[in-house]
Amino acid sequence: MKLHFLGANRQVTGSRYLLEAGGLRIMIDCGMFQERQFQSRNWQTSPIDPASIDVMLLTHAHLDHSGLIPRLVAQGMNRPIYTTTASVDLVRLVLEDSARIQNEDVAFKQKRHAREQRRSHHAYEALYSVEDAQQALRLFRGVTYGKPVQLNDFVTATFHDAGHILGSAMLDVQVHEQGRVRRVVFSGDIGQWDTPLIQDPTLLRDADYVVMESTYGDRDHDSTQSIEDQLATIVNAAQERGGNVIIPTFAIERAQEMLYYFSKLRTAKRIGPTMVFLDSPMAVDATRLFARNDEYLDDEAVNLLRQRQSPFRFEGLVMARSREQSKAINHLRGSCIIMAGSGMATGGRVKHHLLHNLGREEATILFVGYQARGTLGREILDGASSVRVLGQQVQVRAKVSRLLGLSAHADRKALLRWVGNFSPKPKGVFLTHGEETASEALALTLRQELSINVEIPDYEQVVELA
């Protein structure tokens, strides 16, 4: 068996692996690189001939795991893509939305450069079209948790709940060769235990090799103050100043979690009356999918939905779909809450809201998710005095806040809980999907505390699995 590491190596985006086993070339995930210093890889020729891929397995719908699939299909990959049924629904939203945003961004940049009468250093082009995304979506096949998928006579793949987002999965790939069975587990993105909406991650027992995420491998989530307490304090302070709260929000999971918390705060009257805008067509559609896929939700969310007390509906909530609705938000007076994508402020409508609010001292920019190195969100969070937004240099005068403890990723303690459940210990653990410092810190902990053989692969490294 051979394992190719083709993304998310010593950084947190672009997850992609190729497993050669049982006579198959199996691609696991095919994500977009979102960190600026790695974005050029999105346009590079695939390191694996797309036509040579026999099957793809997708852990979940986030762009950093699924975002390059249409490009791969357009270049010749024409084989089944297996993922959970909920992920099939979500990935349709994600890929079509990604194609639209890319093409809108390209048109915007070209128009801006023409207006400024300057030439770009390179030609802007979208990675793929809406039609490319729709062509890729025809290859998707929905599967259920816990039911093995027979890939050929020698290889099966079983999807287990990763507890990260709706439909997210970790993969158990079993290979029957030479009279023995070998198991390779891909963690996908591991969620937290005891979070709202989504069920807890699955603890697996058997694996020869594990490919494991390490996003928060060097830290534990701060739990000294509840999410609701933090959010109430931030929103009430912004209302007193008369400023807006701008929240760069991932359309899937994070947007729905935030609606859940705002619903609770409004019901308990812990924040004052204010308009809450969910300014993302994809997030609006994803929110409806949550209600339709209640078998993936935890007991509390299911009970609320069945009692017609949806956490996704409350007084003052406005779901903004059209561009006109989005533009109108910036003409409102007073204080409001604006949630818009993308979650790391790398594109989408949130950039327009940042342009209108970063320079206002009364405004608050609230980060509620991981901000990868090299993204606009990370620049703002790290304290940049000015940033470039939509071609304009903007002074950062707004208050910048961060919601601690809210993450769809397991922290160091939870990662140790998950990998420590394997018995016997895996022959090898490969750490990916983490900044180099986080991966190195987790590797040291695994070696010292669990005596596990750990490696942090480099981009395009190929490993022989004995």
Side-chain angles (χ1 to χ4, degrees):
M1 288 196 298
K2 287 184 181 179
L3 183 56
H4 301 245
F5 293 90
L6 307 174
N9 305 118
R10 301 176 186 266
Q11 48 97 18
V12 295
T13 63
S15 287
R16 179 171 51 173
Y17 318 96
L18 184 87
L19 177 65
E20 296 185 68
L24 295 176
R25 289 165 70 83
I26 307 164
M27 182 162 281
I28 294 91
D29 290 350
C30 188
M32 189 180 291
F33 293 89
Q34 295 171 299
E35 300 177 45
R36 285 179 180 170
Q37 63 266 47
F38 300 113
Q39 283 180 344
S40 61
R41 291 178 182 174
N42 292 327
W43 280 269
Q44 292 173 0
T45 302
S46 171
I48 299 296
D49 177 9
S52 75
I53 297 166
D54 296 299
V55 66
M56 182 184 293
L57 309 176
L58 176 65
T59 60
H60 64 285
H62 274 155
L63 267 181
D64 59 331
H65 292 258
S66 70
L68 286 185
I69 292 175
R71 188 170 178 86
L72 195 74
V73 171
Q75 293 173 345
M77 205 288 279
N78 191 33
R79 305 297 292 173
I81 303 171
Y82 292 101
T83 191
T84 64
T85 52
S87 290
V88 172
D89 287 340
L90 288 174
V91 81
R92 181 177 300 279
L93 302 180
V94 169
L95 296 183
E96 290 183 351
D97 186 74
S98 172
R100 278 191 292 268
I101 288 176
Q102 288 179 59
N103 284 275
E104 287 173 3
D105 284 352
V106 167
F108 181 86
K109 288 174 182 175
Q110 290 174 340
K111 185 178 179 180
R112 189 183 76 227
H113 288 177
R115 184 175 63 247
E116 295 172 355
Q117 296 184 332
R118 66 183 178 92
R119 297 180 64 183
S120 171
H121 294 297
H122 61 280
Y124 288 108
E125 63 174 19
L127 287 165
Y128 47 84
S129 66
V130 173
E131 291 72 24
D132 290 331
Q134 291 170 343
Q135 182 66 31
L137 290 165
R138 296 187 179 98
L139 301 177
F140 278 81
R141 308 287 185 267
V143 303
T144 58
Y145 288 138
K147 185 176 180 180
V149 180
Q150 196 77 41
L151 303 183
N152 71 358
D153 290 341
F154 309 104
V155 185
T156 62
T158 306
F159 290 67
H160 300 278
D161 197 338
H164 173 61
I165 66 169
L166 189 75
S168 62
M170 47 189 71
L171 306 174
D172 177 5
V173 181
Q174 296 187 40
V175 183
H176 299 254
E177 283 184 318
Q178 301 172 342
R180 61 179 177 144
V181 179
R182 286 176 291 175
R183 306 176 81 148
V184 184
V185 167
F186 296 84
S187 75
D189 288 354
I190 305 170
Q192 294 195 71
W193 275 262
D194 302 318
T195 58
L197 304 181
I198 298 299
Q199 297 184 28
D200 291 341
T202 305
L203 289 171
L204 301 179
R205 191 87 176 154
D206 300 311
D208 293 291
Y209 297 95
V210 175
V211 179
M212 178 183 174
E213 71 121 314
S214 54
T215 308
Y216 287 106
D218 59 347
R219 76 200 84 164
D220 292 324
H221 297 317
D222 189 328
S223 58
T224 56
Q225 190 180 21
S226 75
I227 301 298
E228 291 172 45
D229 288 346
Q230 293 179 68
L231 196 53
T233 299
I234 292 167
V235 170
N236 288 329
Q239 288 180 319
E240 287 180 11
R241 294 196 307 273
N244 296 327
V245 180
I246 310 301
I247 308 177
T249 312
F250 296 100
I252 300 171
E253 196 66 34
R254 190 47 38 83
Q256 291 76 36
E257 280 187 323
M258 294 305 296
L259 292 179
Y260 168 86
Y261 286 117
F262 282 127
S263 176
K264 291 189 73 172
L265 291 173
R266 286 297 303 271
T267 300
K269 297 183 178 179
R270 295 190 59 192
I271 58 176
T274 188
M275 300 292 286
V276 178
F277 293 94
L278 182 58
D279 186 17
S280 164
M282 184 171 69
V284 172
D285 289 337
T287 301
R288 290 171 180 155
L289 285 177
F290 267 69
R292 289 216 318 255
N293 289 274
D294 61 1
E295 69 270 24
Y296 292 91
L297 304 182
D298 65 13
D299 291 341
E300 180 185 7
V302 170
N303 289 335
L304 286 171
L305 289 169
R306 289 177 180 172
Q307 294 168 15
R308 299 186 182 279
Q309 298 177 12
S310 172
F312 311 131
R313 295 179 185 172
F314 52 88
E315 186 178 355
L317 174 63
V318 177
M319 304 276 200
R321 292 190 62 91
S322 70
R323 286 168 134 195
E324 290 70 26
Q325 287 175 305
S326 178
K327 291 177 181 178
I329 296 171
N330 287 312
H331 297 297
L332 294 175
R333 294 186 177 182
S335 178
C336 67
I337 298 166
I338 306 168
M339 295 187 290
S342 66
M344 298 184 195
T346 54
R349 293 180 178 179
V350 76
K351 296 184 83 168
H352 294 273
H353 297 301
L354 289 172
L355 185 63
H356 282 83
N357 288 274
L358 274 170
R360 299 176 177 175
E361 293 182 354
E362 67 274 17
T364 299
I365 314 302
L366 174 59
F367 291 101
V368 297
Y370 187 82
Q371 303 300 307
R373 183 179 52 202
T375 61
L376 175 58
R378 182 67 167 264
E379 285 184 58
I380 298 170
L381 188 60
D382 282 350
S385 59
S386 70
V387 292
R388 190 170 178 81
V389 184
L390 297 174
Q392 299 182 44
Q393 201 67 27
V394 182
Q395 295 296 312
V396 180
R397 298 189 179 93
K399 180 177 177 59
V400 178
S401 298
R402 182 181 183 184
L403 207 56
L404 300 174
L406 180 64
S407 176
H409 286 268
D411 63 4
R412 184 191 64 88
K413 193 178 299 181
L415 291 172
L416 291 176
R417 175 183 178 181
W418 184 80
V419 74
N421 197 66
F422 287 99
S423 181
K425 296 170 187 174
K427 293 179 184 177
V429 172
F430 302 97
L431 296 183
T432 63
H433 204 285
E435 291 182 8
E436 192 163 10
T437 53
S439 297
E440 288 176 343
L442 183 59
L444 181 62
T445 302
L446 292 179
R447 293 177 186 126
Q448 291 180 341
E449 296 187 15
L450 299 180
S451 300
I452 288 177
N453 180 31
V454 185
E455 187 172 345
I456 306 172
D458 292 317
Y459 180 57
E460 295 193 0
Q461 182 176 338
V462 182
V463 175
E464 291 271 359
L465 303 181

